[in-house]
Amino acid sequence: LDYQHVQVPFEITLWIMLASLAKIGFHLYNKLPSVVPESCLLIFVGLIMGGIIYGFNDRSPPVMDSDIFFLYLLPPIVLDAGYFMPSRPFFENIGTILLYAVVGTIWNVFGIGFSLYGICQVKSFRLQDVSLLHNLLFGSLIAAVDPVAVLAVFEEIHVNEKLHILVFGESLLNDAVTVVLYKLFRSFCEMPTIKSVDVFAGIGKFFVVGLGGVLVGLSFGFTAAFTTRFTKDIRVIEPLFVFLYSYLSYLTAEMFHLSGIVAIISCAMGMKRYVEANISLKSHTTVKYFMKMWSSVSDTLIFIFLGVSTIGENHEWNWPYICFTVIFCLVWRALGVLVLTFFVNRFHVNTITSKDQFIIAYGGLRGAICFSLVFLLPDFHRKKLFIAATTVVILFTVFVQGMTIRPLVDLLAVKRKRESAPTVGEQIHIRFLDHLLAGIEDISGHWGQYYWKDKLEYFNSKYLQKILLREYDQPKSSIVLLYEKLERKHAMELAQAGQLGHGLAHPSFLCSAFLCSSSDRTVIRDQKLEDTPNPDVLDNMQEILARNLYRIRRTGPAYNRHTLPGDSEPTERAKEILILRHKSL
Amino acid sequence: LDYQHVQVPFEITLWIMLASLAKIGFHLYNKLPSVVPESCLLIFVGLIMGGIIYGFNDRSPPVMDSDIFFLYLLPPIVLDAGYFMPSRPFFENIGTILLYAVVGTIWNVFGIGFSLYGICQVKSFRLQDVSLLHNLLFGSLIAAVDPVAVLAVFEEIHVNEKLHILVFGESLLNDAVTVVLYKLFRSFCEMPTIKSVDVFAGIGKFFVVGLGGVLVGLSFGFTAAFTTRFTKDIRVIEPLFVFLYSYLSYLTAEMFHLSGIVAIISCAMGMKRYVEANISLKSHTTVKYFMKMWSSVSDTLIFIFLGVSTIGENHEWNWPYICFTVIFCLVWRALGVLVLTFFVNRFHVNTITSKDQFIIAYGGLRGAICFSLVFLLPDFHRKKLFIAATTVVILFTVFVQGMTIRPLVDLLAVKRKRESAPTVGEQIHIRFLDHLLAGIEDISGHWGQYYWKDKLEYFNSKYLQKILLREYDQPKSSIVLLYEKLERKHAMELAQAGQLGHGLAHPSFLCSAFLCSSSDRTVIRDQKLEDTPNPDVLDNMQEILARNLYRIRRTGPAYNRHTLPGDSEPTERAKEILILRHKSL
């Protein structure tokens, strides 16, 4: 027997196997996952495992290594989150999300830090040796909402898309703030005196860490898209590039002390569109499937390890400190959400209801990131107290909040996610409204999100697509792509049912349905036309859509040495269909 | 900058990236891969990389670690090979393959070992300090044909299926022999005296190592199949089990000093059939795609590392020893193939032609396995000479033989692989002949391969499928599965061409074509019938096929306390259609 030789891969494989088998086990009993969130069950499995290890070895079981967590377990989950991020609701609510992620997190950090410092001043609690800086440091690691925990719970309760993206987006983007504050306070702890310059440098760092992450991510994302232009002859390694480049973006960002989470999300969101167009259908299935698989395993491992690491002798128990930590975490988050939402609602028509606010506040789950950060703290005499408090907060949020959030959502009748995908007719309407609003914004001189979206789309089709796409000559609108996808799915279903000979939803019919805008997928499929096929109709339809939609005037810079204001070229102006029609009338 | 923190994953990712980009680069110039095998190009890239590292660092570049090779790089390639192994030609030629792999390898080891010892006796060569045991040890590592190198070259030259499986099967199965001989001689080198008991123990070990590997592999394979029965609710982690269980089988075998390669191949071949039936179509695409991707990257990395490791100061040059090693490798292999094939041809109708024999002898490429084994040798004063000789043999076989084998195949007009997949008609005929031959073997009392195949099939459908398949109530014949696959592919093609409304190849028509046995896929697709679909016809057709094919008599044990010989139950006998009809006549 030569166990030494194979130990490392063998144990890794066994842990992954345990995680996968645990997942299967839970799903065998259908009733269990509907009552208890999977994350709780996994932590429970971890606690049992930890207990067994502790019982046999008579010493604390191995603690989840922070390096393993940040380098190997976290990236797959964040990559998956970024790649499958619904970009429309995300960008529609980006302002609100950033407000929650940046201002909200800072609010929580200082709120929790200062109030815990207040608690430490009470003599009978015997906590007077915990300084303000240490409390703020603890606040910075306990304040951040954890994307892994949030995903695990929110994926199961199916709240409406906006609510989901608000909590989830916040949990992802607060990484930049957490990283900065945590490192800032940690370095302050080690400095003899703190100058005001350092504080301002810290504030400047927010932007460097966040925007730097975005830049690193986007550059790797575009490189990935560019690389997949050349993989036509070796389809089989296409999926690899998606994983390699996103992982590199994460590692590079971490290397330069930027936000790795922000980097990998930008990378995934940046490359997705182009990579999907370049790689083959099977490669894309593999990418999607493997990403889901990987993140699901990572997620499982993290919760099991959380459970295992809880068992042991790392804890120093102090009732008041731990209880007040839990209370302050809840109170400050609730207050922060209330105050911030008050301001958000003043500037938006589509307000956040008080029910939604409650769920946002209540959904602020803490998880493995806090746990890893607390173990990364430099050694000082109260570290074990912080570890105990962090563990309790995590277990409280995951177990109590995680298990009660579903009944609460039911009780409050929070608006749920719509079950069905949007119909073709709805998609047409949404797109039409986008163009209409862009036109209105352009005419009224208000540069809102639709204006910028249109500008970005223009930049994309004019420059990016030419560089990043292999087959640029056939740019397809999202509707045509959707149509193709539906047809493909339909064909597969028919082939599986063995009814390929039936009359089918027909392209030409579908197009006319598109144009009259009252179509619905079910209606289409019920109709059976025996027409001859005419794929040209599709192109026609696409052209009509493209020609008749409003285009924003490509305004030049306000001041130009060589042209007078308003002296735009006539050919440019010819494209502005609406204005042109106006004139002809 | 914090490079230390991310170093390990960063450098691994960069190496994989380099490998993938190198692969893309070669395929950009279409002419290059058709002249030079990819393996040569990759070694060349490795040589350049090694030169650069050597130039900058002024010391030998890192040598490919044997542990990394055996634990991480080799398993994906072997798994891929085992999973996609064409089982029919493999089992048809299993006797010949085993003869080459076991007897042939032993022949080569002792041939090369003893003749090199003869060379060492020549005084002017200054090699008298190399003992016979060391020469045999060197022979045991240099004799084994390398599956990675063979795959890399033979995948590109497309020789006929039988020739391919002979060389490739040998390269896989000789692992058991190599492991045993290598470890035997290495332990002999360290022993003061060798008893004859040890030699016999060594011979006994062959069977333990080989059959032990098969047992470990099959048990993990069946466990994997059994596990995928329960993954219906979490499709997303299905592919994981295929990888986890096969890797565990490899590691477990290695742990017990059994043949890991044999184990992982048995595991893959054992599980494939059941896993495919249990997991979803998308999971299966992911499994196949990821396996190919992984093995392709491993393969690339191995050749690049081979090149990198060649550069450096590990070599001791001795012209006669190195030249004679190359010559003996070639001569003994050629002799071995000639002698063994002489015996094989005496017992087979379908003989191995002399052209095929030449290609088998010439295709005995050495690769990374030899290279890793030579670095694993215990330190002794001539180790550097062995390293140099091994490197030269590998480079000689990969470059000279690898680059000339394609022109030689063309020149000799070796029978090529047929380009198209077998038509439905051919498949029917092959299956019909199988049953016919099983019947003939049964009547004539000769228990040949068809008899055993039928027995195995019976055991499979009676016991294994019930335990390992989720939906046992719908056992589908291979023809029906093939038909479904064709239909699905056809539907996809039609959906992509936007012609889903056309008249299509129709199930009922296809069935009638099946039955008249003269059908061809192209014929079917040209016909356009406007019938109504009737999936029942498929079932009918399957039933007719199943009812009219000969079944071997299920003979009971020769002696039974409770029954007389020949006293089989009438219901059992009712199944023996042919015999029944005979009686009725």
Side-chain angles (χ1 to χ4, degrees), chain B residues 538-554:
Chain B
L538 254 190
D539 294 338
N540 280 344
M541 178 233 132
Q542 197 185 343
E543 222 182 296
I544 292 167
L545 267 181
R547 248 192 295 120
N548 286 294
L549 291 171
Y550 183 79
R551 275 165 204 262
I552 285 177
R553 274 165 292 176
R554 312 283 165 215

Side-chain angles (χ1 to χ4, degrees), chain B residues 142-352:
Chain B
I142 204 74
V145 174
D146 187 81
V148 184
V150 166
L151 256 187
V153 166
F154 274 71
E155 273 199 345
E156 291 180 8
I157 59 175
H158 306 293
V159 293
N160 64 72
E161 212 171 24
K162 187 178 174 185
L163 184 51
H164 184 259
I165 203 74
L166 284 181
V167 182
F168 179 51
E170 180 203 339
S171 72
L172 284 174
L173 297 191
N174 67 19
D175 178 60
V177 181
T178 312
V179 167
V180 171
L181 285 182
Y182 178 78
K183 286 188 179 155
L184 199 69
F185 290 130
R186 210 174 64 173
S187 57
F188 283 175
C189 281
E190 285 155 5
M191 271 188 224
T193 55
I194 300 156
K195 292 173 194 159
S196 55
V197 181
D198 297 325
V199 177
F200 284 109
I203 294 168
K205 260 194 174 178
F206 278 129
F207 297 98
V208 176
V209 168
L211 293 180
V214 172
L215 269 185
V216 168
L218 283 183
S219 50
F220 274 99
F222 289 140
T223 319
F226 186 70
T227 310
T228 51
R229 270 188 73 164
F230 304 103
T231 53
K232 205 180 176 185
D233 295 322
I234 23 168
R235 292 286 191 195
V236 96
I237 59 169
E238 279 173 348
L240 203 62
F241 287 109
V242 175
F243 298 109
L244 286 180
Y245 278 109
S246 20
Y247 193 45
L248 272 185
S249 77
Y250 181 85
L251 292 177
T252 310
E254 288 285 306
M255 196 160 71
F256 291 108
H257 296 289
L258 305 174
S259 166
I261 292 183
V262 171
I264 203 169
I265 286 175
S266 326
C267 179
M269 293 182 83
M271 80 167 112
K272 188 184 181 190
R273 184 169 180 169
Y274 308 105
V275 166
E276 267 182 26
N278 279 337
I279 67 179
S280 77
L281 200 69
K282 280 192 178 176
S283 297
H284 194 223
T285 304
T286 307
V287 167
K288 285 192 292 184
Y289 226 78
F290 219 80
M291 227 174 241
K292 282 277 168 229
M293 190 177 96
W294 218 327
S295 72
S296 150
V297 168
S298 273
D299 176 279
T300 313
L301 280 176
I302 287 174
F303 285 114
I304 289 183
F305 280 145
L306 259 186
V308 171
S309 308
T310 305
I311 306 285
E313 288 149 3
N314 298 316
H315 305 290
E316 180 195 334
W317 201 259
N318 180 305
W319 275 106
Y321 195 83
I322 289 171
C323 291
F324 277 108
T325 306
V326 174
I327 292 167
F328 288 143
C329 279
L330 290 172
V331 170
W332 282 103
R333 181 161 176 87
L335 280 177
V337 170
L338 277 178
V339 173
L340 290 177
T341 317
F342 175 74
F343 287 107
V344 168
N345 278 346
R346 286 192 65 169
F347 295 100
H348 281 78
V349 183
N350 198 354
T351 57
I352 300 167

Side-chain angles (χ1 to χ4, degrees), chain A residues 552-571:
Chain A
I552 286 177
R553 276 163 291 176
R554 312 282 166 215
T555 43
Y559 170 76
N560 190 317
R561 272 175 65 186
H562 305 291
T563 55
L564 286 169
D567 181 23
S568 63
E569 283 185 49
T571 50

